[in-house]
Amino acid sequence: MIQEMIKKAKVAQQRFEQYDQKQVDELVRVIGKVVYDNAEMLARMAVDETRMGVYEDKVAKNKGKARVIWNDIKSKKSVGVINRDEESNVIEIAKPIGVVGAVTPTTNPIVTPMCNAMFALKGRNSIIIAPHPRAKKCSGKTVELINEKLKELNAPENLIQIIEEPSIEKTNELMKSVDVVVATGGMGMVKAAYSSGKPAFGVGAGNVQVIVDRNIDFYDAASKIITGRSFDNGIICSGEQTIIAHEDDYEDVIKAFEDQGCYLVRDPEEKDKLRKTIFKGGHMNKDVVGQSTSKIAEMAGVNIPKDTKIILLEADGIGEEDDLCREKMCPVMSTFIYKDIDEAINIAKTNLELEGNGHSAAVHSESLENIEKVGKSLCVSRLVVNAPSATTAGGSLTNGFSPTTTLGCGSWGNNSISENFTFKHLLNISRIGLLQEDKEVPSDDEIWAS
């Protein structure tokens, strides 16, 4: 079956390769617009099928990602000559890679297939999507709706295909057969993608450390952090995981969270119950992923206030000293106390070395000196400043990160790129090097002069 899909994808891609920029962009726009226009229905399907996340947040995610990705790439060149560098006299010509194989997760079953399809087609590639088995219906419906609109535009048939009955075996065969792999999901699948023998783009584990600097509006910072951590019940990999606050400000920071609907569990026994519920054998308990605070508390046998937005747990140490320093894909955050900015950075760095190196971190600060110090000290590909990390690390209308659903983590996270994955990574570039006739050739003395 996979080989038959590959054959169809190659035929479609070869026809699509003849399209000009305007024709390409017309199809790419349709992909995003379909998800935007059907955001509510697809969100409901995703929640019902995966039993994760929040309907309203998935609606916002479907609309928001479609909007921001199209806005970012609509005016960018991806066909023919895309750049003429007058200084180096190099001309760059964009060409397709071929057939893209995209492995998509159960946590983002609508926007990840959409995003990957937009990037693939922007580069005049075809794409075959391998959805997570727990999200095959909603991911399949997304592709079905997109293909209906593409057909109306007389697009090549089979430009976008999806494995209707996904399995590990089929996904592995797909990854070994395509021209390039994009893997978004668990680390096992990402490792398999890198072992497929084909060029691959993967993601690393998230564990976003959040440093709260001094002399800022704690209520404003708390509001933004809550927005990020609570979004879609905390299943986004770029979601905030910790609150690292100064010892003199700690209680004020916690109060800012509590006043806005969060709850700090102060009883050691209750905290331990929650820790053991969230983590089993040092690993995240899949049964709490994307669940509400009330359900998590019920599972742990702990009472919390009704409508609690985020459960706060003060960690008993840093890094390997406490499982609470790990990524928690649910609306739970760990808190830490620091004496100075260097200790705050050390806490974040130690936790990232345990899990999440290369992904993202966040800082709430009015000190550019401290912001840059954090950026220089932490091995992360993104440092979000004074904004909700969960909803902006993957690009937004208010920052310069490329909008995406695939966040590269560099060599720190065993990834091939340390930036946000976008359509440029699905292009082959031919470079024409023209002679620089008027360039003065330096002498050996000039070259080696100190």
PDB file of all heavy atoms in Angstrom, residues 353-376:
ATOM      1  N   GLU A 353      18.995  20.210  31.274  1.00  0.00           N
ATOM      2  CA  GLU A 353      19.939  19.112  31.043  1.00  0.00           C
ATOM      3  C   GLU A 353      19.309  17.761  31.385  1.00  0.00           C
ATOM      4  O   GLU A 353      19.663  16.738  30.804  1.00  0.00           O
ATOM      5  CB  GLU A 353      21.209  19.347  31.861  1.00  0.00           C
ATOM      6  CG  GLU A 353      22.082  20.469  31.289  1.00  0.00           C
ATOM      7  CD  GLU A 353      23.247  20.840  32.188  1.00  0.00           C
ATOM      8  OE1 GLU A 353      23.282  20.345  33.342  1.00  0.00           O
ATOM      9  OE2 GLU A 353      24.101  21.623  31.752  1.00  0.00           O
ATOM     10  N   LEU A 354      18.361  17.796  32.311  1.00  0.00           N
ATOM     11  CA  LEU A 354      17.614  16.581  32.627  1.00  0.00           C
ATOM     12  C   LEU A 354      16.674  16.234  31.479  1.00  0.00           C
ATOM     13  O   LEU A 354      16.563  15.078  31.068  1.00  0.00           O
ATOM     14  CB  LEU A 354      16.812  16.772  33.920  1.00  0.00           C
ATOM     15  CG  LEU A 354      15.838  15.656  34.293  1.00  0.00           C
ATOM     16  CD1 LEU A 354      16.602  14.388  34.676  1.00  0.00           C
ATOM     17  CD2 LEU A 354      14.935  16.108  35.450  1.00  0.00           C
ATOM     18  N   GLU A 355      16.002  17.253  30.955  1.00  0.00           N
ATOM     19  CA  GLU A 355      15.030  17.051  29.879  1.00  0.00           C
ATOM     20  C   GLU A 355      14.730  18.395  29.222  1.00  0.00           C
ATOM     21  O   GLU A 355      14.524  19.387  29.900  1.00  0.00           O
ATOM     22  CB  GLU A 355      13.740  16.446  30.449  1.00  0.00           C
ATOM     23  CG  GLU A 355      12.772  15.921  29.420  1.00  0.00           C
ATOM     24  CD  GLU A 355      11.683  15.085  30.071  1.00  0.00           C
ATOM     25  OE1 GLU A 355      10.815  15.655  30.755  1.00  0.00           O
ATOM     26  OE2 GLU A 355      11.709  13.851  29.890  1.00  0.00           O
ATOM     27  N   GLY A 356      14.750  18.414  27.903  1.00  0.00           N
ATOM     28  CA  GLY A 356      14.338  19.622  27.190  1.00  0.00           C
ATOM     29  C   GLY A 356      15.442  20.475  26.616  1.00  0.00           C
ATOM     30  O   GLY A 356      15.165  21.544  26.054  1.00  0.00           O
ATOM     31  N   ASN A 357      16.701  20.042  26.711  1.00  0.00           N
ATOM     32  CA  ASN A 357      17.789  20.829  26.157  1.00  0.00           C
ATOM     33  C   ASN A 357      17.549  21.099  24.671  1.00  0.00           C
ATOM     34  O   ASN A 357      17.169  20.209  23.918  1.00  0.00           O
ATOM     35  CB  ASN A 357      19.123  20.102  26.335  1.00  0.00           C
ATOM     36  CG  ASN A 357      20.129  20.917  27.125  1.00  0.00           C
ATOM     37  OD1 ASN A 357      19.803  21.968  27.683  1.00  0.00           O
ATOM     38  ND2 ASN A 357      21.357  20.450  27.197  1.00  0.00           N
ATOM     39  N   GLY A 358      17.777  22.334  24.269  1.00  0.00           N
ATOM     40  CA  GLY A 358      17.657  22.706  22.873  1.00  0.00           C
ATOM     41  C   GLY A 358      16.304  23.233  22.467  1.00  0.00           C
ATOM     42  O   GLY A 358      16.169  23.874  21.420  1.00  0.00           O
ATOM     43  N   HIS A 359      15.270  22.980  23.269  1.00  0.00           N
ATOM     44  CA  HIS A 359      13.915  23.383  22.876  1.00  0.00           C
ATOM     45  C   HIS A 359      13.687  24.877  23.135  1.00  0.00           C
ATOM     46  O   HIS A 359      14.127  25.715  22.341  1.00  0.00           O
ATOM     47  CB  HIS A 359      12.872  22.532  23.600  1.00  0.00           C
ATOM     48  CG  HIS A 359      11.558  22.478  22.876  1.00  0.00           C
ATOM     49  ND1 HIS A 359      10.734  23.562  22.758  1.00  0.00           N
ATOM     50  CD2 HIS A 359      10.922  21.456  22.236  1.00  0.00           C
ATOM     51  CE1 HIS A 359       9.648  23.229  22.071  1.00  0.00           C
ATOM     52  NE2 HIS A 359       9.752  21.944  21.730  1.00  0.00           N
ATOM     53  N   SER A 360      13.048  25.212  24.214  1.00  0.00           N
ATOM     54  CA  SER A 360      12.670  26.605  24.459  1.00  0.00           C
ATOM     55  C   SER A 360      12.740  26.941  25.938  1.00  0.00           C
ATOM     56  O   SER A 360      12.684  26.052  26.797  1.00  0.00           O
ATOM     57  CB  SER A 360      11.240  26.872  23.962  1.00  0.00           C
ATOM     58  OG  SER A 360      11.076  26.443  22.632  1.00  0.00           O
ATOM     59  N   ALA A 361      12.854  28.244  26.224  1.00  0.00           N
ATOM     60  CA  ALA A 361      12.766  28.761  27.587  1.00  0.00           C
ATOM     61  C   ALA A 361      12.064  30.108  27.497  1.00  0.00           C
ATOM     62  O   ALA A 361      11.851  30.643  26.399  1.00  0.00           O
ATOM     63  CB  ALA A 361      14.146  28.894  28.220  1.00  0.00           C
ATOM     64  N   ALA A 362      11.698  30.647  28.651  1.00  0.00           N
ATOM     65  CA  ALA A 362      11.015  31.939  28.678  1.00  0.00           C
ATOM     66  C   ALA A 362      11.543  32.772  29.834  1.00  0.00           C
ATOM     67  O   ALA A 362      11.990  32.231  30.846  1.00  0.00           O
ATOM     68  CB  ALA A 362       9.499  31.745  28.808  1.00  0.00           C
ATOM     69  N   VAL A 363      11.493  34.086  29.663  1.00  0.00           N
ATOM     70  CA  VAL A 363      11.893  35.001  30.728  1.00  0.00           C
ATOM     71  C   VAL A 363      10.941  36.193  30.719  1.00  0.00           C
ATOM     72  O   VAL A 363      10.538  36.674  29.659  1.00  0.00           O
ATOM     73  CB  VAL A 363      13.361  35.461  30.544  1.00  0.00           C
ATOM     74  CG1 VAL A 363      13.561  36.188  29.224  1.00  0.00           C
ATOM     75  CG2 VAL A 363      13.809  36.343  31.708  1.00  0.00           C
ATOM     76  N   HIS A 364      10.562  36.603  31.903  1.00  0.00           N
ATOM     77  CA  HIS A 364       9.738  37.807  32.057  1.00  0.00           C
ATOM     78  C   HIS A 364      10.603  38.836  32.763  1.00  0.00           C
ATOM     79  O   HIS A 364      10.948  38.680  33.940  1.00  0.00           O
ATOM     80  CB  HIS A 364       8.460  37.491  32.833  1.00  0.00           C
ATOM     81  CG  HIS A 364       7.523  36.615  32.059  1.00  0.00           C
ATOM     82  ND1 HIS A 364       6.458  37.114  31.341  1.00  0.00           N
ATOM     83  CD2 HIS A 364       7.530  35.274  31.842  1.00  0.00           C
ATOM     84  CE1 HIS A 364       5.838  36.108  30.732  1.00  0.00           C
ATOM     85  NE2 HIS A 364       6.466  34.989  31.035  1.00  0.00           N
ATOM     86  N   SER A 365      10.989  39.867  32.029  1.00  0.00           N
ATOM     87  CA  SER A 365      11.985  40.803  32.537  1.00  0.00           C
ATOM     88  C   SER A 365      11.913  42.117  31.773  1.00  0.00           C
ATOM     89  O   SER A 365      11.505  42.152  30.609  1.00  0.00           O
ATOM     90  CB  SER A 365      13.389  40.194  32.395  1.00  0.00           C
ATOM     91  OG  SER A 365      14.385  41.122  32.760  1.00  0.00           O
ATOM     92  N   GLU A 366      12.352  43.190  32.437  1.00  0.00           N
ATOM     93  CA  GLU A 366      12.495  44.489  31.789  1.00  0.00           C
ATOM     94  C   GLU A 366      13.970  44.833  31.628  1.00  0.00           C
ATOM     95  O   GLU A 366      14.305  45.940  31.194  1.00  0.00           O
ATOM     96  CB  GLU A 366      11.784  45.575  32.612  1.00  0.00           C
ATOM     97  CG  GLU A 366      10.281  45.382  32.749  1.00  0.00           C
ATOM     98  CD  GLU A 366       9.570  45.331  31.397  1.00  0.00           C
ATOM     99  OE1 GLU A 366      10.025  46.036  30.460  1.00  0.00           O
ATOM    100  OE2 GLU A 366       8.579  44.584  31.264  1.00  0.00           O
ATOM    101  N   SER A 367      14.834  43.911  31.969  1.00  0.00           N
ATOM    102  CA  SER A 367      16.281  44.124  31.889  1.00  0.00           C
ATOM    103  C   SER A 367      16.845  43.410  30.667  1.00  0.00           C
ATOM    104  O   SER A 367      16.940  42.187  30.647  1.00  0.00           O
ATOM    105  CB  SER A 367      16.981  43.615  33.158  1.00  0.00           C
ATOM    106  OG  SER A 367      18.381  43.549  32.971  1.00  0.00           O
ATOM    107  N   LEU A 368      17.233  44.180  29.644  1.00  0.00           N
ATOM    108  CA  LEU A 368      17.815  43.569  28.452  1.00  0.00           C
ATOM    109  C   LEU A 368      19.107  42.844  28.799  1.00  0.00           C
ATOM    110  O   LEU A 368      19.411  41.798  28.213  1.00  0.00           O
ATOM    111  CB  LEU A 368      18.078  44.633  27.384  1.00  0.00           C
ATOM    112  CG  LEU A 368      18.616  44.125  26.039  1.00  0.00           C
ATOM    113  CD1 LEU A 368      17.659  43.111  25.417  1.00  0.00           C
ATOM    114  CD2 LEU A 368      18.863  45.288  25.083  1.00  0.00           C
ATOM    115  N   GLU A 369      19.834  43.365  29.779  1.00  0.00           N
ATOM    116  CA  GLU A 369      21.071  42.715  30.216  1.00  0.00           C
ATOM    117  C   GLU A 369      20.787  41.304  30.733  1.00  0.00           C
ATOM    118  O   GLU A 369      21.485  40.344  30.376  1.00  0.00           O
ATOM    119  CB  GLU A 369      21.753  43.544  31.302  1.00  0.00           C
ATOM    120  CG  GLU A 369      23.042  42.929  31.832  1.00  0.00           C
ATOM    121  CD  GLU A 369      23.670  43.729  32.964  1.00  0.00           C
ATOM    122  OE1 GLU A 369      23.134  44.803  33.304  1.00  0.00           O
ATOM    123  OE2 GLU A 369      24.691  43.270  33.518  1.00  0.00           O
ATOM    124  N   ASN A 370      19.769  41.172  31.577  1.00  0.00           N
ATOM    125  CA  ASN A 370      19.422  39.854  32.114  1.00  0.00           C
ATOM    126  C   ASN A 370      18.841  38.938  31.030  1.00  0.00           C
ATOM    127  O   ASN A 370      19.121  37.732  31.002  1.00  0.00           O
ATOM    128  CB  ASN A 370      18.436  39.990  33.266  1.00  0.00           C
ATOM    129  CG  ASN A 370      19.101  40.435  34.552  1.00  0.00           C
ATOM    130  OD1 ASN A 370      20.338  40.480  34.641  1.00  0.00           O
ATOM    131  ND2 ASN A 370      18.318  40.789  35.558  1.00  0.00           N
ATOM    132  N   ILE A 371      18.037  39.525  30.140  1.00  0.00           N
ATOM    133  CA  ILE A 371      17.451  38.737  29.048  1.00  0.00           C
ATOM    134  C   ILE A 371      18.557  38.138  28.183  1.00  0.00           C
ATOM    135  O   ILE A 371      18.540  36.944  27.856  1.00  0.00           O
ATOM    136  CB  ILE A 371      16.511  39.607  28.198  1.00  0.00           C
ATOM    137  CG1 ILE A 371      15.262  39.995  29.009  1.00  0.00           C
ATOM    138  CG2 ILE A 371      16.100  38.873  26.909  1.00  0.00           C
ATOM    139  CD1 ILE A 371      14.405  41.066  28.360  1.00  0.00           C
ATOM    140  N   GLU A 372      19.523  38.970  27.823  1.00  0.00           N
ATOM    141  CA  GLU A 372      20.626  38.476  26.987  1.00  0.00           C
ATOM    142  C   GLU A 372      21.502  37.484  27.744  1.00  0.00           C
ATOM    143  O   GLU A 372      22.024  36.525  27.153  1.00  0.00           O
ATOM    144  CB  GLU A 372      21.466  39.652  26.479  1.00  0.00           C
ATOM    145  CG  GLU A 372      20.725  40.506  25.453  1.00  0.00           C
ATOM    146  CD  GLU A 372      21.618  41.565  24.828  1.00  0.00           C
ATOM    147  OE1 GLU A 372      22.764  41.749  25.304  1.00  0.00           O
ATOM    148  OE2 GLU A 372      21.168  42.215  23.862  1.00  0.00           O
ATOM    149  N   LYS A 373      21.636  37.683  29.051  1.00  0.00           N
ATOM    150  CA  LYS A 373      22.426  36.747  29.858  1.00  0.00           C
ATOM    151  C   LYS A 373      21.774  35.371  29.875  1.00  0.00           C
ATOM    152  O   LYS A 373      22.461  34.338  29.764  1.00  0.00           O
ATOM    153  CB  LYS A 373      22.582  37.290  31.286  1.00  0.00           C
ATOM    154  CG  LYS A 373      23.568  36.510  32.143  1.00  0.00           C
ATOM    155  CD  LYS A 373      23.826  37.229  33.460  1.00  0.00           C
ATOM    156  CE  LYS A 373      24.967  36.546  34.223  1.00  0.00           C
ATOM    157  NZ  LYS A 373      25.281  37.253  35.499  1.00  0.00           N
ATOM    158  N   VAL A 374      20.459  35.366  30.008  1.00  0.00           N
ATOM    159  CA  VAL A 374      19.719  34.097  29.966  1.00  0.00           C
ATOM    160  C   VAL A 374      19.886  33.442  28.597  1.00  0.00           C
ATOM    161  O   VAL A 374      20.148  32.241  28.481  1.00  0.00           O
ATOM    162  CB  VAL A 374      18.222  34.315  30.280  1.00  0.00           C
ATOM    163  CG1 VAL A 374      17.438  33.016  30.081  1.00  0.00           C
ATOM    164  CG2 VAL A 374      18.041  34.819  31.711  1.00  0.00           C
ATOM    165  N   GLY A 375      19.760  34.257  27.542  1.00  0.00           N
ATOM    166  CA  GLY A 375      19.884  33.735  26.190  1.00  0.00           C
ATOM    167  C   GLY A 375      21.259  33.152  25.896  1.00  0.00           C
ATOM    168  O   GLY A 375      21.388  32.133  25.212  1.00  0.00           O
ATOM    169  N   LYS A 376      22.304  33.777  26.437  1.00  0.00           N
ATOM    170  CA  LYS A 376      23.668  33.297  26.233  1.00  0.00           C
ATOM    171  C   LYS A 376      23.950  32.040  27.051  1.00  0.00           C
ATOM    172  O   LYS A 376      24.778  31.212  26.662  1.00  0.00           O
ATOM    173  CB  LYS A 376      24.666  34.385  26.611  1.00  0.00           C
ATOM    174  CG  LYS A 376      24.681  35.580  25.666  1.00  0.00           C
ATOM    175  CD  LYS A 376      25.617  36.671  26.182  1.00  0.00           C
ATOM    176  CE  LYS A 376      25.615  37.886  25.263  1.00  0.00           C
ATOM    177  NZ  LYS A 376      26.470  38.978  25.780  1.00  0.00           N
TER     178      LYS A 376
END
